[in-house]
Amino acid sequence: AHLDDVSKTTDVGRAINELSTEHTRLDAPLLDAAVAGGGLGFNSQNAEMGAVGAASWGRIRAALSPHMLSEKVTILPLAHDKRLVTRSVLERMRKRHAELRRLARTVDSVKFETDRREQVAAAGKALCDLAVKLDDVLEGEEHGLLPKLRRYVFAGRPENAAH
């Protein structure tokens, strides 16, 4: 049983460390995505913005799926089980993740350089929204949830932040 606990702690610790570095790694692509997406929302024929939007989305998409999976499978269940966050905070996080997935599907359904103007404009707006919301989520995790999890996992003592 002790080895299982060590293995779980190692997996959670690894997930926490990976999530902690994500915001820094995504700073530039998030900024590029917000600018390009906003620009495409107003001028869907702008080839330069289309290229920037596609490139930034590629970098964000590569990080988003593993990030969301790690949180769904490892981070959020631990935060819930150990009462590191209130039920309302957990529900708000789940709603934000659902919104990010919805926006990601919209962005992923379009080729910025070749699809129709209306599709590109809608996807550009979704890309801008996604970038802003993802930045907010990462910022909130970096200063809220992750420090609580880090203290719990690495210090080995529960911190009941829900009370």
Side-chain angles (χ1 to χ4, degrees):
H2 175 68
L3 288 177
D4 287 342
D5 290 343
V6 170
S7 176
K8 287 178 187 174
T9 300
T10 302
D11 290 345
V12 171
R14 187 177 306 117
I16 291 168
N17 288 335
E18 288 171 8
L19 293 174
S20 294
T21 63
E22 206 130 273
H23 196 216
T24 303
R25 276 195 330 247
L26 288 176
D27 271 349
L30 287 172
L31 180 58
D32 289 347
V35 171
L40 289 167
F42 290 105
N43 181 4
S44 59
Q45 292 180 313
N46 186 323
E48 183 181 347
M49 286 292 116
V52 172
S56 60
W57 169 237
R59 291 179 62 196
I60 292 167
R61 182 181 47 205
L64 189 59
S65 183
H67 176 99
M68 302 272 278
L69 181 63
S70 176
E71 286 191 356
K72 181 179 180 179
V73 171
T74 306
I75 300 299
L76 295 181
L78 178 68
H80 172 70
D81 292 347
K82 302 304 178 186
R83 298 181 184 189
L84 299 175
V85 295
T86 64
R87 187 175 301 229
S88 64
V89 168
L90 195 60
E91 187 57 34
R92 190 170 47 241
M93 291 176 75
R94 287 184 176 134
K95 285 180 182 179
R96 287 179 181 164
H97 284 188
E99 175 69 3
L100 290 173
R101 284 191 296 276
R102 184 190 67 75
L103 291 167
R105 282 191 299 274
T106 300
V107 174
D108 210 36
S109 69
V110 171
K111 302 288 183 233
F112 287 108
E113 293 102 349
T114 59
D115 278 349
R116 291 182 324 184
R117 290 175 51 186
E118 299 82 25
Q119 293 172 301
V120 172
K125 290 175 185 174
L127 179 62
C128 182
D129 285 348
L130 177 91
V132 171
K133 290 178 181 189
L134 181 56
D135 186 61
D136 288 346
V137 165
L138 293 172
E139 184 77 22
E141 290 172 356
E142 190 176 309
H143 296 291
L145 179 61
L146 293 177
K148 292 173 187 173
L149 285 166
R150 202 175 285 115
R151 282 190 294 274
Y152 178 82
V153 170
F154 296 118
R157 64 176 197 270
E159 176 189 318
N160 193 339
H163 297 286

